[in-house]
Amino acid sequence: MTWKDILHGHHDAVSRSETRAMAGQTDTERLARSLSQADAIVIGAGSGLSTAAGYTYDGDRLLRYFPDFVARYGFTDMYSGGFYPFDTPGEYWAYWSRYIWINRYGPMPSDLYRRLLRLVKGRDYFVLTTNVDHCFQRVGFDKMRLFYTQGDYGLFQSAEPQGASAHRTYDNEDAVRRMVLSQGFRIGADGQLSLPDGGRLSLQVPRDLLPVCPDDGRPMVPNLRADDTFVEDAGWHAAADRYTAFLRSHRDARVLYLELGVGMNTPGIIKYPFWQLTAANPNAIYACVTKDEAWCPGQIAGRSMCIDADIADVVRALD
C-alpha cells in the first residue's frame, strides 16, 4: 500500500486531539516507553526541530545580523531574503555569507540537539533530515547514520554543474569566514559574530573573495536543493544507500519512526514514507511531535502518537 492509499483511501485521518484522547493524555509517557522498547529508531527531522532549537529566521536574529539589509530592503525573515535578486555578486555573498555562518558555524542557540543525541546514543538509529544546518553531526551524531536530503549550508557547488563539477561539492568554512570578516564583523573563539566598533557594516564582498568553482571556473552557490541544478555528490548517494539499507534490514523489527518538526512543505520526503513504513510493519510505531500539524491517517492511529507540543519541551521531558 502506498502513502497515497493511506492518505486518500477509505481510512479517515486522525487529528492530534483524537489521538491524544485515545492515549489518555499520556503521549509523552507512551513515547518514552516506545523509545526504550524499540529495536531501531528512525528520526525524521524537519525545520520545526531547528526552530525549536533556536534557529529562528526572523525577529532578534534577523535584526542582529542583517540590520543593514532590513533597512535597505525591508526583509522580514532570512529565508525570503535569500531569494532576493541582488544587483551584484558582492551583495549576494554579503547576505549569504552571514546567513551561512550564523546557521552553520556559529554557536548553537540551545542544547536541544545534544539532548536528542542522549536519547538515542548507544541505540540502533538512523536520521533522515531536510534540515541543512548540520546540527546533528555538530553535536556528535554518527555521520554514517545521517542522510541530509536537501543539502548543507557548509558546502558550495558550481552554479552550473557540468563536466568535472557535475557531481562535486566543496567545503566552504574558510571562504565564508573570509567573506564575513571582509564586511567588518568580528568572529569570536566560539564562532559568535559581533558588530565592528561603530556598528558599520559593508553590504559588499570584495571581488577577489567571491567563490569560484575550482573545476569549471564558474561562480559557486550554496549546495541547497532549490532547482534541478542541485548537486547530489558521492557523499549524498552513499548516505542514501545507507538509509535504504537500514530500512531494509529493519523491515519487520520493532521500529519507532520518530518525526520531529515536519510540516506539509515537503511531506513526500519524511512524513508520507513514515506513514507507509508504519502501515507495512505491524511491529512499527509512528510518533509525530510538532506544533499545529500533529496528525496521522486513521489506518495507523492505533500505533501512533501525535503530540502537539513544543519539541524542546517533549525532548526535555524524555531526557
Side-chain angles (χ1 to χ4, degrees):
M1 180 171 289
T2 69
W3 62 260
K4 290 183 179 179
D5 296 324
I6 297 172
L7 185 60
H8 299 299
H10 64 277
H11 301 283
D12 294 330
V14 176
S15 71
R16 57 189 179 272
S17 59
E18 291 172 305
T19 52
R20 191 157 50 233
M22 294 176 187
Q25 303 293 325
T26 60
D27 277 344
T28 302
E29 293 177 2
R30 291 179 62 209
L31 179 53
R33 184 167 61 252
S34 295
L35 277 166
S36 66
Q37 295 177 347
D39 298 321
I41 301 162
V42 182
I43 295 174
S47 61
L49 175 61
S50 283
T51 299
Y55 282 97
T56 53
Y57 280 16
D58 56 8
D60 290 344
R61 292 184 85 234
L62 175 70
L63 295 175
R64 184 184 311 156
Y65 300 113
F66 300 90
D68 43 358
F69 284 96
V70 171
R72 176 171 292 188
Y73 297 111
F75 293 159
T76 57
D77 67 273
M78 295 179 216
Y79 182 77
S80 59
F83 292 95
Y84 188 83
F86 295 106
D87 289 335
T88 67
E91 192 172 20
Y92 171 92
W93 278 112
Y95 186 84
W96 269 100
S97 60
R98 301 182 200 181
Y99 192 129
I100 291 170
W101 188 268
I102 65 173
N103 293 306
R104 173 62 173 82
Y105 298 114
M108 301 182 72
S110 77
D111 65 351
L112 176 56
Y113 277 89
R114 290 185 175 84
R115 287 180 178 273
L116 186 59
L117 175 60
R118 287 201 291 267
L119 294 181
V120 299
K121 196 171 183 64
R123 307 291 303 280
D124 196 6
Y125 73 85
F126 208 101
V127 176
L128 173 69
T129 183
T130 55
N131 294 342
V132 295
D133 48 33
H134 214 61
C135 287
F136 285 102
Q137 194 163 330
R138 290 182 69 187
V139 302
F141 278 80
D142 183 352
K143 67 180 181 180
M144 303 303 287
R145 295 173 177 266
L146 298 174
F147 181 22
Y148 290 83
T149 66
Q150 305 298 79
D152 183 348
Y153 283 145
L155 298 174
F156 286 159
Q157 65 168 73
S158 172
E160 300 177 56
Q162 53 188 286
S165 67
H167 304 291
R168 292 196 62 187
T169 57
Y170 310 84
D171 292 338
N172 66 19
E173 182 173 4
D174 289 343
V176 173
R177 178 186 293 272
R178 289 194 297 269
M179 287 191 282
V180 168
L181 291 173
S182 76
Q183 298 170 65
F185 281 103
R186 296 169 176 166
I187 301 178
D190 62 350
Q192 180 68 55
L193 291 191
S194 59
L195 294 173
D197 292 338
R200 295 183 62 85
L201 295 169
S202 171
L203 274 78
Q204 291 285 338
V205 167
R207 182 181 297 273
D208 63 339
L209 294 183
L210 301 180
V212 175
C213 180
D215 288 311
D216 64 23
R218 293 178 173 85
M220 291 207 287
V221 294
N223 177 233
L224 306 175
R225 190 185 297 278
D227 55 34
D228 60 4
T229 65
F230 175 69
V231 171
E232 297 175 354
D233 62 11
W236 190 98
H237 285 285
D241 289 344
R242 289 193 296 270
Y243 177 62
T244 300
F246 187 90
L247 295 181
R248 186 185 305 116
S249 66
H250 296 85
R251 184 180 294 130
D252 301 316
R254 292 181 300 179
V255 181
L256 172 63
Y257 293 99
L258 177 57
E259 181 187 293
L260 301 172
V262 177
M264 295 300 290
N265 187 25
T266 53
I269 298 175
I270 296 173
K271 186 179 292 291
Y272 292 167
F274 275 22
W275 289 351
Q276 181 182 2
L277 289 161
T278 303
N281 177 7
N283 296 314
I285 297 292
Y286 169 74
C288 170
V289 185
T290 191
K291 290 291 291 181
D292 301 323
E293 293 186 278
W295 63 287
C296 70
Q299 178 180 352
I300 61 172
R303 291 183 286 114
S304 298
M305 289 154 278
C306 298
I307 305 175
D308 181 359
D310 185 282
I311 299 170
D313 292 340
V314 173
V315 171
R316 190 177 300 111
L318 296 169
D319 187 11

